[in-house]
């Protein structure tokens, strides 16, 4: 009963979207791909996002960097995790398995995971949070422990533009080009709904993230 669908999908949406595609309904996926589902899509270069964070922290002198990589059932979060591990390897740094932390994409999970890092006998000098909710949770835990940022711990957040405006120091973060993502998705669905009915190969548009430097990254503390 619709001419086309633009979806930000989860794994639970796969069957319904596959049914729509099999009926000839044009589909554009946003933010993530679903294995086995062929469609147009607009996604972030998640490997680049991870690399930008690691390179910035490595340039500040950090060797031991933790990462909150979220739910690994998500295509997006799997890409960010693999990008983080590849960037650490490329920088000649070791990623500690217990400091590359998967889990739910929630504020509570981010808080709990960073709490665990902060009470460990030895802890990383920096943490990257690869999702907005994880970033919020991490900052709550850091504030609860009275940790000075960046003197005691450097922090990189994700998609936290508004949050960065109220944190002191201002949060360093990775941002997505939201307006470009929306425009590309609209252009793709419009092309599928055009008067030309001839079949075309599916298009996956990959857009670059941007690293926005703030005051939450500094040299490793003692």
């Amino acid at each position: 009963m619709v001419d086309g669908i633009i979806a930000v999908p989860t794994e639970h949406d796969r069957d319904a979207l596959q049914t729509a595609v099999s009926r000839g309904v044009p589909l554009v996926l946003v933010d993530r791909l679903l294995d086995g589902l062929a469609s147009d899509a607009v996604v972030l270069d998640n490997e680049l996002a991870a690399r930008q964070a690691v390179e910035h922290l490595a340039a500040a002198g950090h060797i031991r960097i933790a990462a909150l990589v979220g739910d690994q059932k998500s295509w997006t979060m799997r890409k960010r995790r693999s990008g983080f591990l590849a960037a650490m390897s490329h920088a000649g740094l070791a990623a500690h398995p217990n400091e590359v932390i998967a889990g739910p994409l929630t504020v509570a999970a981010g808080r709990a995971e960073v709490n665990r890092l902060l009470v460990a006998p030895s802890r990383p000098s920096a943490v990257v949070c690869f999702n907005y909710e994880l970033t919020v949770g991490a900052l709550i835990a850091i504030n609860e422990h009275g940790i000075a940022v960046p003197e005691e711990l450097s922090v990189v957040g994700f998609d936290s533009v508004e949050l960065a405006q109220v944190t002191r120091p201002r949060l360093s973060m990775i941002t997505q080009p939201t307006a470009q993502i929306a425009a590309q998705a609209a252009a793709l669905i419009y092309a599928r709904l055009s008067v030309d009915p001839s079949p075309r190969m599916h298009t996956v548009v990959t857009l670059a993230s941007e690293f926005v430097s703030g005051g939450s990254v500094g040299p490793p503390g003692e």
Side-chain angles (χ1 to χ4, degrees):
M1 301 282 298
V2 297
D3 294 320
I5 299 172
I6 297 176
V8 182
T10 70
E11 291 296 324
H12 301 295
D13 300 321
R14 181 194 309 277
D15 291 345
L17 292 174
Q18 184 62 65
T19 298
V21 169
S22 68
R23 293 175 178 172
V25 178
L27 171 66
V28 176
L29 299 179
V30 174
D31 185 55
R32 67 203 68 175
L33 304 180
L34 293 176
D35 295 335
L37 182 59
S39 73
D40 297 324
V42 186
V43 297
L44 186 73
D45 188 336
N46 292 289
E47 289 91 345
L48 171 63
R51 187 167 70 248
Q52 288 170 326
V54 171
E55 288 177 349
H56 192 80
L57 289 166
H62 292 276
I63 296 173
R64 190 170 167 186
I65 304 170
L68 307 188
V69 296
D71 187 350
Q72 293 302 291
K73 294 179 182 178
S74 163
W75 177 87
T76 302
M77 302 312 294
R78 291 199 304 272
K79 289 291 185 180
R80 291 174 190 172
R81 178 182 182 275
S82 64
F84 173 79
L85 295 175
M88 290 286 284
S89 176
H90 186 264
L93 303 178
H96 294 237
N98 64 334
E99 294 175 359
V100 182
I101 306 170
L105 295 169
T106 64
V107 172
R111 179 185 179 188
E113 290 157 3
V114 172
N115 267 326
R116 182 176 66 77
L117 290 175
L118 295 179
V119 300
S122 67
R123 65 186 185 216
S125 62
V127 60
V128 184
C129 308
F130 281 116
N131 160 271
Y132 175 80
E133 286 78 13
L134 295 175
T135 302
V136 174
L139 292 177
I140 291 172
I142 290 166
N143 287 338
E144 289 175 338
H145 284 266
I147 300 296
V149 175
E151 291 81 5
E152 295 178 272
L153 183 71
S154 287
V155 182
V156 175
F158 203 97
D159 263 357
S160 311
V161 177
E162 294 84 3
L163 189 60
Q165 294 172 345
V166 297
T167 57
R168 292 292 179 273
R170 187 180 179 93
L171 188 66
S172 296
M173 65 186 147
I174 304 156
T175 63
Q176 301 190 67
T178 307
Q180 292 181 48
I181 291 171
Q184 290 285 351
L188 288 172
I189 200 71
Y190 180 78
R192 289 290 175 184
L193 296 173
S194 68
V195 295
D196 178 9
S198 59
R200 300 185 307 280
M201 295 290 291
H202 290 111
T203 300
V204 177
V205 178
T206 303
L207 299 176
S209 59
E210 180 182 1
F211 188 92
V212 180
S213 183
S216 64
V217 172
E222 293 295 334

